[in-house]
Short mmCIF file of all heavy atoms in Angstrom, two decimals:
data_model
loop_
_atom_site.label_atom_id
_atom_site.label_comp_id
_atom_site.label_asym_id
_atom_site.label_seq_id
_atom_site.Cartn_x
_atom_site.Cartn_y
_atom_site.Cartn_z
N GLN A 383 155.39 87.59 45.22
CA GLN A 383 156.69 87.42 44.45
C GLN A 383 156.87 88.57 43.46
O GLN A 383 157.36 88.43 42.37
CB GLN A 383 156.58 86.14 43.65
CG GLN A 383 156.64 84.87 44.47
CD GLN A 383 158.10 84.69 45.19
OE1 GLN A 383 159.02 85.29 44.77
NE2 GLN A 383 158.06 83.83 46.22
N LYS A 384 156.32 89.85 43.91
CA LYS A 384 156.33 90.90 42.97
C LYS A 384 157.76 91.53 42.81
O LYS A 384 157.95 92.39 41.86
CB LYS A 384 155.42 92.02 43.46
CG LYS A 384 154.00 91.70 43.29
CD LYS A 384 153.10 92.83 43.61
CE LYS A 384 151.66 92.47 43.30
NZ LYS A 384 150.67 93.48 43.94
N CYS A 385 158.67 91.18 43.72
CA CYS A 385 160.04 91.65 43.48
C CYS A 385 161.02 90.54 43.88
O CYS A 385 160.59 89.56 44.45
CB CYS A 385 160.36 93.02 44.26
SG CYS A 385 160.61 92.69 46.02
N SER A 386 162.31 90.74 43.62
CA SER A 386 163.28 89.67 43.82
C SER A 386 163.37 89.27 45.37
O SER A 386 163.88 88.21 45.58
CB SER A 386 164.62 90.04 43.23
OG SER A 386 165.03 91.19 43.93
N LEU A 387 163.00 90.14 46.21
CA LEU A 387 163.11 89.69 47.62
C LEU A 387 162.38 88.53 47.98
O LEU A 387 162.51 87.80 48.98
CB LEU A 387 162.76 90.89 48.51
CG LEU A 387 163.56 92.19 48.40
CD1 LEU A 387 163.17 93.33 49.33
CD2 LEU A 387 165.02 91.85 48.45
N GLY A 388 161.23 88.28 47.22
CA GLY A 388 160.36 87.09 47.44
C GLY A 388 161.19 85.79 47.32
O GLY A 388 160.88 84.81 47.98
N LYS A 389 162.30 85.90 46.51
CA LYS A 389 163.09 84.63 46.32
C LYS A 389 164.16 84.47 47.51
O LYS A 389 164.43 83.31 47.78
CB LYS A 389 163.89 84.66 45.03
CG LYS A 389 162.95 84.94 43.79
CD LYS A 389 163.20 84.02 42.66
CE LYS A 389 162.11 84.01 41.73
NZ LYS A 389 161.12 85.12 41.70
N THR A 390 164.47 85.54 48.05
CA THR A 390 165.72 85.49 49.09
C THR A 390 165.12 85.44 50.48
O THR A 390 165.83 85.11 51.46
CB THR A 390 166.58 86.61 48.88
OG1 THR A 390 165.91 87.85 48.88
CG2 THR A 390 167.41 86.50 47.55
N ARG A 391 163.81 85.78 50.61
CA ARG A 391 163.40 85.91 52.09
C ARG A 391 163.14 84.51 52.73
O ARG A 391 162.94 83.55 51.97
CB ARG A 391 162.01 86.68 52.05
CG ARG A 391 160.87 85.82 51.57
CD ARG A 391 159.49 86.43 51.80
NE ARG A 391 158.53 85.49 51.15
CZ ARG A 391 157.77 85.98 50.17
NH1 ARG A 391 157.75 87.16 49.74
NH2 ARG A 391 156.87 85.06 49.61
N THR A 392 163.19 84.39 54.07
CA THR A 392 162.84 83.29 54.63
C THR A 392 161.31 83.36 55.03
O THR A 392 160.55 82.44 54.82
CB THR A 392 163.68 83.07 55.94
OG1 THR A 392 165.01 83.18 55.66
CG2 THR A 392 163.35 81.72 56.65
N ASN A 393 161.04 84.45 55.59
CA ASN A 393 159.54 84.79 55.94
C ASN A 393 159.16 86.06 55.47
O ASN A 393 159.92 87.07 55.44
CB ASN A 393 159.48 84.68 57.49
CG ASN A 393 159.32 83.24 58.00
OD1 ASN A 393 158.41 82.57 57.70
ND2 ASN A 393 160.34 82.96 58.81
N PHE A 394 157.87 86.12 55.06
CA PHE A 394 157.17 87.44 54.84
C PHE A 394 156.83 88.03 56.10
O PHE A 394 156.25 87.38 57.02
CB PHE A 394 155.95 87.09 54.01
CG PHE A 394 155.18 88.26 53.49
CD1 PHE A 394 155.42 88.82 52.37
CD2 PHE A 394 154.10 88.72 54.29
CE1 PHE A 394 154.65 89.96 51.92
CE2 PHE A 394 153.35 89.76 53.93
CZ PHE A 394 153.61 90.39 52.61
N VAL A 395 157.20 89.32 56.40
CA VAL A 395 157.01 89.96 57.67
C VAL A 395 155.83 90.95 57.61
O VAL A 395 156.12 92.13 57.21
CB VAL A 395 158.26 90.65 58.26
CG1 VAL A 395 158.04 91.11 59.63
CG2 VAL A 395 159.43 89.60 58.29
#
Side-chain angles (χ1 to χ4, degrees):
Q383 291 293 340
K384 286 190 179 164
C385 76
S386 64
L387 302 182
K389 305 225 163 20
T390 52
R391 72 168 178 242
T392 310
N393 279 297
F394 182 90
V395 183

